[in-house]
Amino acid sequence: MTPSKHQFAGKCKRVKLSDICVKGKSSLRQKDIANDGPYAVYGASGIVGSTSCFQNAKPYVAVVKDGAGVGRANACNAETSVLGTMQALIPKEGVDCRYLLHLVRSMRLGEDFSGSTIPHIYFRDYGKTLVPFPDMSGQRQIVEALDDIEKQRLTATKQIDRLDSLVKSRFVEMFGDPIDGTFWAKRKLSNLYEVKSSKRIYAREQTKDGVPFLRLADIGSLIDSGISDSGLFISEERFEELRSKGLVPNPGDVLVTARGTLGRCYIIKPSDCFYFQDGMITWLAAIESSPLPSYLLAVFNNPHFIEELNRNCSGTTVKYLSISDLANVAIPVPPLELQHEFETFVTQVDKSRFGGMLHLLNSLSGIMHASFFSVADTD
């Protein structure tokens, strides 16, 4: 269901983000937290401690301004503080804090971060963005609608998480722990796949339409919800040229996130038609000796395996999984018949996971964006 335009009551205008919120204090370091008082301190993952005083008196929105979670936004209570890795955004008078939260989230901050080593976004830059700003009546209607959608998304996500846990448990039952307790000989990924990257796409090659061009965050969205809309494209002619040279992944190939949250995998489907960012995403092109994609995905979803992956990757400040790092990773390879047995189990679980819940997530996500777009088009 797509919401109609002008569905929210009240007047709406376009303003700069900096016109409806101001920067709050955000100078605390982790070592400054003494846990000596009642006032909470927020970090990227939530409350990380407490202090005897607070920096921000009103409810506000905190945005992760650097590191792997750059751009993530969360609501914070009054009389609290945030670490220096977060940017506090204090709503001005006449601005509902929950509206500000949904608005900032809809901006998808962090996808075009600056900085060659550490991803970093600045309020002085994104504060100039023109955003829809309805009156208080319109804000509250939007908040009510989007809060309800968020609750439904949370319920569906929890159900999917339970099914993921079921798959992980079955994997360990069949194959043991891939790091400490495997029953099978290990082989390097370089012996199981052709480990490589995509062809670099320059800004001048991007077009207004054509074949979608996905960045790191877009691949994450594909993994999480099955949908992604980067708004970036390359021409169909350029895509076909790349395909003719064997530079486009085939069904069954695997894309692996190589920066930020490492080791997240997306299996290429027959219906997929997109290209992807080089450097941030590594391509495992299947060869004759490759294990089944469902088995590889389960290996990379194992928490012990991910811990080992993070210990052995490149980078001291921001972890980076280089092509050579990934090529040298060794995984246990059980007999193919056991992999097929596991794949059958995963297929049955996926019928529950994707038959209804993922469709719900996709629909709800579309409604969220359409709601903002309808407001943005209102004068």
Side-chain angles (χ1 to χ4, degrees), residues 167 170-171 174-175 184-185 187 192-193 287-299 331-347:
V167 170
R170 182 58 177 159
F171 176 87
M174 291 186 65
F175 307 116
W184 319 104
R187 299 181 63 187
L192 300 172
Y193 296 89
I287 57 178
E288 187 175 350
S289 58
S290 299
L292 297 180
S294 57
Y295 172 77
L296 181 76
L297 182 62
V299 172
I331 65 170
V333 184
L336 192 58
E337 57 268 26
L338 282 182
Q339 294 182 45
H340 278 294
E341 182 182 336
F342 177 71
E343 183 178 58
T344 300
F345 175 80
V346 171
T347 300

Side-chain angles (χ1 to χ4, degrees), residues 113-217:
F113 56 75
S114 62
S116 58
T117 305
I118 302 176
H120 200 114
I121 56 175
Y122 299 93
F123 181 70
R124 65 171 182 260
D125 297 324
Y126 65 81
K128 300 174 183 176
T129 305
L130 289 176
V131 296
F133 180 50
D135 60 18
M136 186 58 75
S137 174
Q139 290 178 50
R140 287 171 178 166
Q141 290 185 59
I142 293 170
V143 168
E144 182 179 351
L146 299 189
D147 279 355
D148 183 62
I149 290 173
E150 285 291 345
K151 290 177 183 177
Q152 295 180 61
R153 285 171 61 92
L154 180 60
T155 298
T157 300
K158 287 181 177 178
Q159 293 174 347
I160 290 175
D161 287 343
R162 285 194 287 269
L163 292 173
D164 285 340
S165 295
L166 185 62
V167 170
K168 290 175 183 178
S169 296
R170 182 58 177 159
F171 176 87
V172 174
E173 288 175 3
M174 291 186 65
F175 307 116
D177 186 280
I179 299 300
D180 300 324
T182 182
F183 311 132
W184 319 104
K186 294 183 179 182
R187 299 181 63 187
K188 289 184 178 181
L189 288 178
S190 58
N191 295 323
L192 300 172
Y193 296 89
E194 185 181 353
V195 185
K196 55 186 179 179
S197 185
S198 62
K199 178 72 172 177
R200 175 160 295 182
I201 299 296
Y202 295 96
R204 63 177 181 273
E205 298 180 86
Q206 296 174 13
T207 56
K208 294 182 179 180
D209 53 29
V211 176
F213 178 67
L214 305 187
R215 294 164 295 182
L216 181 62

Side-chain angles (χ1 to χ4, degrees), residues 246-314:
L247 298 175
V248 172
N250 296 308
D253 289 354
V254 181
L255 304 183
V256 183
T257 58
R259 190 168 182 171
T261 303
L262 303 180
R264 303 196 70 198
C265 297
Y266 179 77
I267 300 170
I268 299 295
K269 300 176 178 58
S271 59
D272 282 331
C273 183
F274 63 80
Y275 209 59
F276 61 96
Q277 180 182 24
D278 70 301
M280 302 287 189
I281 304 159
T282 300
W283 170 13
L284 300 182
I287 57 178
E288 187 175 350
S289 58
S290 299
L292 297 180
S294 57
Y295 172 77
L296 181 76
L297 182 62
V299 172
F300 273 79
N301 281 338
N302 182 277
H304 291 170
F305 180 82
I306 291 298
E307 289 174 5
E308 185 72 11
L309 201 64
N310 276 275
R311 279 195 294 267
N312 293 292
C313 66
S314 303

Side-chain angles (χ1 to χ4, degrees), residues 75-96:
C76 299
N77 295 328
E79 298 185 349
T80 59
S81 304
V82 293
L83 292 177
T85 55
M86 311 282 286
Q87 179 59 66
L89 302 179
I90 312 295
K92 291 185 178 181
E93 185 176 354
V95 180
D96 187 296

